Amino acid sequence: MQRIYQLVDPGSFAEIDALVEHDCIHFSADRRRVSGDGLVVGHARIDGRPVGIYAHDAAFLGGSSSRMHALKITKILDLALKAGMPVLGLNDSSGIRIHEGVDAGVQFGEVFYKTVRASGVIPQISILLGDCAGGAAYAPALTDFIIMVRDKSTMFLTGPTVIKQATGEIVSKEEIGGPILHAVTTGLAHFLADSVDDALEIARELLSFLPANNCVSQSSSQPADVSGSSAIAKLIPQVATQPYDVLDVIGEIVDDRHFLEVHRLFAPNVLTGFARLGGLTIGIVANQPKVLAGCLDVASSEKAARFIRFCDAFSIPILTLLDVPGYLPGLKQEAGGDYWSGSKAAPRLLRGYRPEDRPGPAQGIWRRPSYACQSLGD
């Protein structure tokens, strides 16, 4: 609860289903009960904007997830879809409670289903404050953005003990699911925070760039500055083989030189992130000449494609800065399917999409007509 109060606007959090308890009687589980069942769910405001929130309490049964957890999470997802508001999850769970067996597993299938249905309709952000093991690792992986905390967060399906029994490998939690692994190698972690406080601040900043849902149009009272910057010409060298930092170029273009980079440590030869131009949120995709000369490879193609798909779903304009010699050559890249990864970012126009075909809010949610934001446009 303390982390929720730290994240949201003062006095804005309203908890729902605070008295819910689990209904499992196996293995003397009926003797271990607590109000809320170790999961806090509710709605609040962040910078004045409504959001849905759920948070695990690791102090009760290690934050393990029950059937009631799943019911509470699906309820806040349904409310968020109806109200058209983002959802943030503060995850710290050892996984689904084994003694609840199939009951909890089946119900969490509904959580995964609702999370996927909400994808591209409302922003979903996961903040990992501790271990997320087994089934508890699936839910964050399905959301739009994952924030992990250095030396604190982990995310894995099978723990070190199970791996040792199954394969004989001796590994640590950090090796199989630590924040460095997911921020640098797998790309599952979009942001790597130095502390819990830093993670919560990143979540607030990220949310400030995002619309509440995919029916909201951006508006800005700030006039756009179209005068440009003469410094850009000096930043880009005349010799094509000379590297430079594209972040300096971005700083000359966007408002207040402020750029929130996404996936900073993953595939750094391509940059993705959010900024404002004339007060409006834009997404930026840029080659980074100082890393691999800005070449495209499998990882950077996947990174750019995923970011473009998110911006496409929420009608966020994209500024693309190109300075690329081509695809990174090599057997590893060819075997990894570099051309397939790059093709995932193909524009919708190539698939017969016409901007004028997009329905407005009164016609329901774009690409999710069965989940209309009932409070919007009617």
Side-chain angles (χ1 to χ4, degrees):
M1 189 74 79
Q2 178 184 356
R3 297 303 184 190
I4 293 178
Y5 290 151
Q6 186 178 350
L7 174 64
V8 305
D9 296 348
S12 67
F13 180 68
E15 187 175 359
I16 60 177
D17 294 333
L19 302 179
V20 167
E21 297 179 352
H22 71 75
D23 56 359
C24 180
I25 61 174
H26 304 299
F27 301 99
S28 301
D30 53 328
R31 302 176 186 174
R32 295 176 294 177
R33 288 180 174 171
V34 66
S35 295
D37 199 29
L39 183 76
V40 180
V41 175
H43 55 85
R45 291 183 178 274
I46 295 179
D47 293 331
R49 301 170 56 194
V51 297
I53 293 180
Y54 64 89
H56 294 93
D57 181 5
F60 180 67
L61 297 180
S64 57
S65 301
S66 68
R67 188 178 77 89
M68 289 302 175
H69 280 208
L71 289 172
K72 293 174 72 172
I73 293 174
T74 53
K75 183 173 183 178
I76 195 63
L77 285 171
D78 284 337
L79 289 174
L81 283 164
K82 291 178 181 178
M85 62 183 181
V87 172
L88 295 92
L90 279 63
N91 299 269
D92 188 354
S93 173
S94 56
I96 295 176
R97 294 175 191 169
I98 300 300
H99 55 269
E100 293 207 16
V102 176
D103 291 341
V106 169
Q107 198 61 53
F108 262 90
E110 188 72 8
V111 173
F112 305 150
Y113 171 74
K114 291 292 178 66
T115 303
V116 172
R117 291 302 302 269
S119 178
V121 179
I122 54 174
Q124 300 178 83
I125 302 173
S126 295
I127 308 170
L128 275 55
L129 301 179
D131 293 336
C132 288
Y138 272 103
L142 292 172
T143 58
D144 298 313
F145 298 98
I146 296 177
I147 304 171
M148 297 187 73
V149 181
R150 194 184 302 271
D151 301 325
K152 191 174 182 67
S153 306
T154 61
M155 181 169 55
F156 50 83
L157 292 179
T158 52
T161 303
V162 176
I163 291 177
K164 182 178 180 181
Q165 292 177 343
T167 68
E169 295 177 280
I170 299 177
V171 295
S172 66
K173 293 191 299 184
E174 288 71 24
E175 288 177 310
I176 59 175
I180 298 298
L181 172 73
H182 289 312
V184 177
T185 306
T186 69
L188 283 174
H190 298 76
F191 300 94
L192 180 59
D194 294 326
S195 64
V196 172
D197 293 346
D198 185 32
L200 299 180
E201 186 59 35
I202 290 173
R204 291 179 65 97
E205 182 180 4
L206 172 61
L207 197 62
S208 71
F209 284 100
L210 307 180
N213 56 71
N214 68 352
C215 285
V216 175
S217 299
Q218 293 196 61
S219 60
S220 174
S221 57
Q222 178 179 342
D225 181 10
V226 296
S227 60
S229 172
S230 59
I232 294 180
K234 300 178 182 178
L235 293 172
I236 302 176
Q238 298 298 316
V239 181
T241 56
Q242 184 177 345
Y244 62 94
D245 193 346
V246 76
L247 279 172
D248 295 333
V249 177
I250 293 173
E252 294 295 327
I253 297 174
V254 302
D255 296 351
D256 302 321
R257 303 184 62 87
H258 181 57
F259 175 61
L260 178 63
E261 189 172 353
V262 178
H263 272 142
R264 183 175 64 86
L265 300 178
F266 177 67
N269 42 318
V270 167
L271 267 60
T272 57
F274 297 104
R276 290 185 178 87
L277 192 61
L280 297 177
T281 295
I282 62 170
I284 295 179
V285 178
N287 302 107
Q288 176 57 289
K290 76 171 189 177
V291 180
L292 295 177
C295 278
L296 290 174
D297 57 5
V298 173
S300 62
S301 297
E302 293 280 0
K303 171 182 174 178
R306 180 174 180 179
F307 182 77
I308 290 170
R309 287 195 298 268
F310 177 86
C311 292
D312 172 50
F314 291 96
S315 300
I316 298 175
I318 296 177
L319 171 64
T320 305
L321 302 178
L322 294 174
D323 189 348
V324 55
Y327 281 93
L328 185 67
L331 176 61
K332 182 178 179 180
Q333 296 301 315
E334 294 292 341
D338 51 0
Y339 41 84
W340 165 245
S341 300
S343 68
K344 290 183 180 180
R348 283 181 160 270
L349 290 173
L350 297 182
R351 300 197 296 273
Y353 168 78
R354 296 182 304 169
E356 60 268 24
D357 292 337
R358 177 188 172 188
Q363 298 168 279
I365 289 293
W366 181 33
R367 303 197 315 181
R368 299 290 191 276
S370 61
Y371 275 90
C373 292
Q374 296 179 4
S375 65
L376 302 174
D378 293 330

